[in-house]
Amino acid sequence: MNVERIIKFELGRLNAHLPEKRITLKSALSLDKPSVRTKDGKAHYLKREELELLSKLLPEAEWDSLLLPIFISLEPKLGRGAAKIKGTFEAKVIGKILGKETSGDELIVYRPEIAIIRRKLATTTQYLFGW
Amino acid sequence: MAARVTISPNRMELMKVKNRLALAEKGYDLLKEKMDALVMELLNTLKAIQKSKAEATAQLKRGYEALSICMAALGTFETVQAAAETKKELNIDISVRNIMGIEVPTVQVGGIERNALARGYSLHMTSSLLDTAAREMELATKVLIELAELEITAFALAQELEKTKRRVNALEYILIPRLRESVKFIMMRLDEMERENFTRLKRIKAILEKRG
């Protein structure tokens, strides 16, 4: 049994659900059935209600800068239960949902906050496993 | 330990085992993160199921109450007749969303609440009580569809959680301890060999000094 191969395969599979290319909020809103194609070739649909919620949180001029789905980056180096939201507009919109102050292009969120984000944005956020 | 016997104690092997251990520990950390995230998703879904079940029960109660009143006022036969005439089509959009590689359905129900004309039964043979019962049942159908979506999601998450937990346990209790044991064994064996070498050299030196 080649253990290394199995572990490498498992690690490779961890991020297979991520999109090949993210789409902006503006283009997602303009689509009839907004979706993205994942790295493993499957479709991931974005709920319209969530897109509408996001559009209310950001001014229209910024719709073109928010990339969807938003990544919740889980990194072991941050410690268990902590995650990072990367991107200025992504951090801004998540900050607004959580009622947190944001500055810069990163936002650290913790487990109870991740639960809130996932409850409100089930399809417009995705977990990313970083190392 | 079986794994230890097959290892030849040399520096090259030590490096290989150390690399393998680092990879296993990294895999363990990431899979543990995934497991935590899955637990959180499952708990969120279970909470939503609980809420949706209460909502469905209340809505079905309202629906059956309205239906009973309608049957009492309009007559059972007439109500059943009207139900048979009703259009049994629903506009449901089923798509897929991905949670950490698990495909779960996303159901969007459109236009489930129809007006009396769109339902298809004869209006002059029925009363507004039938319309009320139909509306309440349509709302109950919507809640039940949402509940079904949540239950399928919870089932898929639980299955993936079980798989991930098995992998995490295999790494935590079997692979990582075995690799640590191997590293320890090789290091001890190398130290032992170094000590043996040192003693041998000292002995040779003593013999040479004696001869000289």
Side-chain angles (χ1 to χ4, degrees):
Chain A
M1 182 176 72
N2 192 340
V3 180
E4 273 170 72
R5 230 181 61 196
I6 295 170
I7 298 171
K8 276 181 185 163
F9 172 75
E10 281 297 325
L11 295 184
R13 222 173 60 102
L14 273 176
N15 283 327
H17 63 283
L18 294 180
E20 276 180 341
K21 198 170 173 253
R22 293 201 281 172
I23 56 169
T24 63
L25 175 61
K26 194 177 178 182
S27 59
L29 282 165
S30 69
L31 292 171
D32 185 35
K33 262 184 131 185
S35 70
V36 286
R37 189 142 294 277
T38 62
K39 280 179 190 169
D40 52 3
K42 292 167 186 165
H44 171 76
Y45 287 90
L46 308 169
K47 271 193 177 173
R48 195 154 288 278
E49 301 98 81
E50 291 175 31
L51 297 176
E52 276 156 18
L53 170 71
L54 290 170
S55 68
K56 281 175 199 155
L57 295 170
L58 275 185
E60 205 174 334
E62 291 175 356
W63 290 1
D64 220 9
S65 308
L66 179 71
L67 291 172
L68 297 174
I70 298 167
F71 292 152
I72 301 170
S73 177
L74 297 165
E75 293 170 25
K77 66 179 178 200
L78 290 173
R80 269 183 79 184
K84 204 187 271 178
I85 310 285
K86 287 177 190 163
T88 313
F89 300 97
E90 288 80 357
K92 189 177 167 184
V93 87
I94 296 294
K96 278 189 180 175
I97 285 174
L98 299 173
K100 265 179 123 175
E101 280 289 312
T102 52
S103 57
D105 61 350
E106 257 182 27
L107 178 70
I108 303 286
V109 288
Y110 300 94
R111 201 171 292 168
E113 293 170 333
I114 300 172
I116 296 170
I117 299 167
R118 291 290 298 158
R119 236 190 336 261
K120 288 188 178 168
L121 306 171
T123 62
T124 44
T125 56
Q126 283 276 28
Y127 289 104
L128 181 149
F129 297 94
W131 56 81
Chain B
M1 195 180 267
R4 224 163 57 176
V5 176
T6 53
I7 291 171
S8 49
N10 55 51
R11 295 209 179 270
M12 194 67 184
E13 193 64 32
L14 179 65
M15 222 163 71
K16 270 189 202 166
V17 176
K18 274 186 174 174
N19 284 342
R20 211 175 289 168
L21 178 63
L23 184 70
E25 280 173 341
K26 193 169 83 179
Y28 170 75
D29 285 342
L30 285 165
L31 284 175
K32 193 98 178 161
E33 286 280 4
K34 183 182 176 180
M35 203 174 86
D36 288 347
L38 279 171
V39 169
M40 198 169 63
E41 287 290 326
L42 186 62
L43 288 177
N44 263 352
T45 313
L46 292 178
K47 263 186 208 164
I49 286 177
Q50 216 174 9
K51 201 177 147 198
S52 184
K53 260 188 186 167
E55 212 176 302
T57 312
Q59 188 55 46
L60 279 171
K61 196 177 164 218
R62 278 196 290 275
Y64 278 110
E65 270 172 13
L67 191 63
S68 305
I69 293 168
C70 175
M71 277 178 164
L74 207 68
T76 310
F77 178 75
E78 285 76 8
T79 311
V80 171
Q81 185 65 36
E85 287 168 13
T86 306
K87 283 180 193 162
K88 294 169 187 69
E89 287 152 20
L90 265 183
N91 183 17
I92 299 175
D93 183 15
I94 304 175
S95 43
V96 183
R97 72 182 171 108
N98 219 309
I99 312 172
M100 287 173 274
I102 315 156
E103 281 193 325
V104 293
T106 306
V107 186
Q108 279 176 324
V109 192
I112 199 160
E113 268 187 278
R114 299 176 288 192
N115 60 37
L117 285 170
R119 287 191 187 113
Y121 52 74
S122 158
L123 287 181
H124 69 273
M125 298 288 283
T126 56
S127 78
S128 66
L129 289 170
L130 184 69
D131 298 340
T132 312
R135 195 181 56 244
E136 294 295 345
M137 283 303 188
E138 280 165 358
L139 287 173
T141 311
K142 190 180 179 187
V143 181
L144 286 173
I145 290 169
E146 282 164 7
L147 181 61
E149 179 194 332
L150 288 169
E151 286 194 343
I152 291 171
T153 305
F155 186 70
L157 283 170
Q159 270 186 325
E160 184 68 20
L161 182 63
E162 196 191 343
K163 266 192 237 169
T164 312
K165 197 170 163 47
R166 211 176 298 141
R167 285 176 191 135
V168 167
N169 283 346
L171 284 172
E172 187 177 2
Y173 298 111
I174 301 169
L175 191 67
I176 294 175
R178 210 174 265 182
L179 289 171
R180 281 194 185 133
E181 190 80 8
S182 300
V183 170
K184 201 173 145 192
F185 168 74
I186 297 173
M187 283 173 82
M188 277 169 67
R189 196 73 194 88
L190 287 175
D191 285 348
E192 182 76 20
M193 279 157 73
E194 212 173 294
R195 275 194 299 275
E196 270 173 23
N197 225 8
F198 182 70
T199 318
R200 195 178 300 125
L201 285 174
K202 274 193 94 172
R203 184 102 180 97
I204 292 168
K205 196 180 167 191
I207 293 169
L208 288 175
E209 273 173 1
K210 218 182 211 178
R211 277 187 195 166

